[in-house]
Amino acid sequence: MENSEVTILLVDDEPDILEFLGYNLEKEGYHVLKAKNGQRAISMAKQYKPQLIILDVMMPVMDGMEACAEIRKIPELAGIMIAFLTARGEDYSQIAGFEAGADDYITKPIKPPLFVKRVQALLRRFQNEPDQSDIIVLKGFTIDKSRYIVIKDGVDITLVRKEFELLLFLVSCLNKVVTREEIFAGVWGEDVVVGDRTIDVHIRRIREKMGIDSIKTIKGVGYKFDED
Amino acid sequence: MENSEVTILLVDDEPDILEFLGYNLEKEGYHVLKAKNGQRAISMAKQYKPQLIILDVMMPVMDGMEACAEIRKIPELAGIMIAFLTARGEDYSQIAGFEAGADDYITKPIKPPLFVKRVQALLRRFQNEPDQSDIIVLKGFTIDKSRYIVIKDGVDITLVRKEFELLLFLVSCLNKVVTREEIFAGVWGEDVVVGDRTIDVHIRRIREKMGIDSIKTIKGVGYKFDED
DNA sequence: GGCCACGTTAACAAATCATTAATTATGATC
DNA sequence: GATCATAATTAATGATTTGTTAACGTGGCC
């Protein structure tokens, strides 16, 4: 993601600090919004949906903690990142205890290179896009190899190892029929010998857990994963 | 850290003050460098990487604020401490100074014992203060790499070394399944050989101490740290 | 109906992990 | 450098999960 696509909302009651932080972030190409208290921050957040909000803890009208709690209650702003600005010395562990809603803490005084690094790290971590090569997107669902799960309708489905490997194998031959022999060779390995019903049982469990009929049986031949 | 390992860069346009401050710091065993303006300070800072820079605010050629701002822009000097020397009364500049990235203010006139104490306190802070980049904030808790502790609900949880390293490793692959082999390679090192149950035991302790179920077991595959 | 191929279920065995305690390293302190 | 406390690992046992099988059910087809 380009920095220019990232919007950051800065919230502080001191114009100087807004200016200072804004300058450093804009220099990196981020799109920066500014608000001078928690209330304004919330309305701006609703309107512009920033990726990250940097909130000063100490503010008049509505302080950072309050604002954070409010923002966390708003469903449309779910997934937004919030970082607190705190004065050095206020033990962040105490703050962490008050409010688990924050994603990060940045202490004043602010040192620009570190500040920018921190923001970058935050954005990177939360975008945390899994490696594309580990993800297979099908019509109705997504297979994430790195997390060993299948996601269907936003719900995580956990398959156990053999089930997962079998599914992967079928999907790797999308729309093609694979024989039982090929399945054995691909999932179990050439030399392993297991009974004939073993595949059936695994297929069944996959169909059950995933609630799909994408795995078609071709009688006398084998199985096929159909992408409708 | 021995004082003799600590380098302090003094920056002032008045040789008398340089002399005076330098004498007092050297008496304590610190290694002292001197510069007579901001420009020279920056080049010396790059060359010698002092732990602390004491900058007079008022200087010809390049004043303290400017110099500070410049230094803060240099990535290799990130983490360096900067203290300003200001005349008593001009504390309006403190705000501007903190924004520029200062860590402390020392007001003139200077009284040697107080000055030295102040420097010591600063350096102590420098040594103890966790580097921002050493803190990882997750959903429910905070990991402080520099202190080897985890903070959850405001309570410090102490993990011993291997536990901590293992946790860090899992967190570094957030949401991804890591195999036992990968864990061994990442935490123990390729060549070290330990039994299979060792990981289990450490995982158990982490789960126990932290009271979490974020560490999921994927049987036959490995472990996964799930955020949420 | 009888045969065949696959589906289904539950029960079993095997693999894998969890737990606990005991043992061995490690490192700090005097 | 001996001693002690702590940490890391192993060993032994128990619990769970997973993979497989067996036994039976179903439906199509000659």
Side-chain angles (χ1 to χ4, degrees):
Chain A
M1 194 188 279
E2 281 300 309
N3 284 355
S4 60
E5 296 169 38
V6 177
T7 303
I8 299 174
L9 172 58
L10 298 176
V11 192
D12 201 309
D13 58 319
E14 289 196 52
D16 289 349
I17 292 187
L18 283 182
E19 196 54 46
F20 175 63
L21 297 181
Y23 165 75
N24 280 289
L25 292 176
E26 278 168 351
K27 212 171 55 183
E28 297 296 316
Y30 296 111
H31 185 216
V32 176
L33 301 170
K34 294 163 189 166
K36 67 169 182 266
N37 63 52
Q39 236 151 42
R40 299 196 49 123
I42 291 172
S43 67
M44 289 186 79
K46 279 186 194 165
Q47 191 175 351
Y48 297 105
K49 306 267 175 65
Q51 276 77 36
L52 169 65
I53 300 176
I54 300 177
L55 269 174
D56 192 10
V57 171
M58 303 289 279
M59 282 185 301
V61 184
M62 184 187 273
D63 73 22
M65 298 284 181
E66 258 186 277
C68 178
E70 284 303 313
I71 289 165
R72 289 301 188 218
K73 282 184 200 157
I74 302 169
E76 62 189 293
L77 298 182
I80 215 163
M81 281 176 273
I82 298 178
F84 277 149
L85 280 179
T86 72
R88 187 205 286 282
E90 301 184 62
D91 193 3
Y92 56 86
S93 65
Q94 296 194 356
I95 294 164
F98 281 120
E99 183 55 80
D103 297 302
D104 204 359
Y105 297 87
I106 297 170
T107 56
K108 294 183 194 174
I110 282 150
K111 302 170 188 179
L114 283 179
F115 172 65
V116 170
K117 272 220 169 64
R118 190 112 183 128
V119 167
Q120 286 169 339
L122 250 176
L123 290 169
R124 211 175 316 118
R125 202 176 84 209
F126 281 81
Q127 273 157 19
N128 195 27
E129 293 159 40
D131 202 338
Q132 261 337 90
S133 65
D134 284 340
I135 291 199
I136 299 167
V137 182
L138 278 314
K139 196 111 192 164
F141 51 91
T142 305
I143 301 174
D144 188 334
K145 286 194 241 181
S146 69
R147 294 163 57 182
Y148 237 78
I149 55 171
V150 173
I151 300 160
K152 193 196 168 199
D153 303 327
V155 184
D156 291 5
I157 299 166
T158 306
L159 301 181
V160 300
R161 188 162 59 144
K162 270 273 141 60
E163 290 161 12
F164 196 81
E165 284 171 2
L166 177 51
L167 174 67
L168 267 187
F169 186 74
L170 291 177
V171 166
S172 74
C173 305
L174 208 58
N175 297 323
K176 283 187 202 141
V177 179
V178 287
T179 66
R180 281 162 178 276
E181 287 68 42
E182 287 169 333
I183 292 175
F184 279 133
V187 179
W188 273 263
E190 292 285 0
D191 45 349
V192 183
V193 181
V194 289
D196 227 23
R197 297 277 67 69
T198 302
I199 289 181
D200 306 39
V201 172
H202 284 302
I203 292 276
R204 185 185 117 58
R205 287 187 182 152
I206 296 172
R207 294 209 257 232
E208 188 179 53
K209 281 190 181 175
M210 296 185 51
I212 52 163
D213 54 354
S214 298
I215 298 176
K216 305 272 198 265
T217 304
I218 316 295
K219 269 207 166 189
V221 189
Y223 292 93
K224 174 171 76 156
F225 194 101
D226 252 353
E227 188 178 22
D228 312 317
Chain B
M1 194 189 283
E2 280 300 308
N3 285 355
S4 60
E5 295 169 38
V6 177
T7 302
I8 299 173
L9 173 58
L10 297 175
V11 193
D12 201 309
D13 57 320
E14 290 194 51
D16 289 351
I17 293 188
L18 283 182
E19 197 52 47
F20 174 63
L21 298 181
Y23 165 74
N24 281 290
L25 292 176
E26 278 169 347
K27 212 170 56 181
E28 295 297 315
Y30 296 111
H31 185 215
V32 176
L33 301 170
K34 293 163 191 165
K36 66 169 181 267
N37 63 51
Q39 234 151 42
R40 297 196 50 119
I42 290 171
S43 68
M44 288 186 78
K46 278 188 196 164
Q47 191 176 352
Y48 296 105
K49 308 266 176 63
Q51 276 77 34
L52 169 64
I53 300 176
I54 300 177
L55 269 172
D56 192 9
V57 172
M58 305 289 279
M59 279 186 302
V61 185
M62 183 188 271
D63 74 20
M65 297 284 180
E66 259 185 280
C68 178
E70 283 303 311
I71 289 165
R72 289 305 187 212
K73 283 184 200 158
I74 301 168
E76 62 189 289
L77 298 182
I80 216 163
M81 291 208 123
I82 297 179
F84 278 149
L85 281 178
T86 72
R88 185 201 295 282
E90 43 174 352
D91 59 4
Y92 59 89
S93 63
Q94 291 212 2
I95 305 258
F98 274 122
E99 276 167 54
D103 296 297
D104 201 4
Y105 277 86
I106 298 170
T107 54
K108 296 181 193 175
I110 284 154
K111 297 171 187 169
L114 280 181
F115 171 67
V116 168
K117 273 221 166 62
R118 194 80 181 249
V119 167
Q120 286 169 337
L122 253 174
L123 289 169
R124 214 174 312 121
R125 209 168 73 190
F126 167 78
Q127 282 159 25
N128 298 336
E129 186 102 349
D131 186 338
Q132 293 261 324
S133 64
D134 283 346
I135 298 176
I136 297 171
V137 182
L138 277 314
K139 204 106 199 157
F141 52 90
T142 306
I143 300 174
D144 186 335
K145 289 195 224 178
S146 65
R147 292 196 288 161
Y148 263 65
I149 59 170
V150 173
I151 298 155
K152 194 195 167 202
D153 303 328
V155 183
D156 289 6
I157 299 165
T158 306
L159 300 182
V160 299
R161 193 164 57 105
K162 272 274 138 65
E163 290 161 14
F164 195 82
E165 284 170 2
L166 177 51
L167 175 66
L168 263 190
F169 186 74
L170 291 177
V171 165
S172 74
C173 304
L174 208 57
N175 295 325
K176 289 191 180 151
V177 176
V178 288
T179 65
R180 281 160 181 275
E181 287 69 42
E182 287 169 332
I183 293 175
F184 279 134
V187 178
W188 274 263
E190 292 286 1
D191 44 351
V192 182
V193 181
V194 289
D196 231 21
R197 297 277 68 71
T198 303
I199 288 181
D200 307 38
V201 173
H202 283 114
I203 291 275
R204 185 184 115 58
R205 294 212 177 117
I206 295 172
R207 293 208 257 231
E208 187 180 53
K209 283 188 182 177
M210 296 185 53
I212 52 164
D213 56 353
S214 298
I215 298 176
K216 304 267 200 281
T217 304
I218 316 293
K219 273 212 168 192
V221 187
Y223 292 93
K224 172 171 77 159
F225 193 102
D226 252 351
E227 190 182 26
D228 49 42

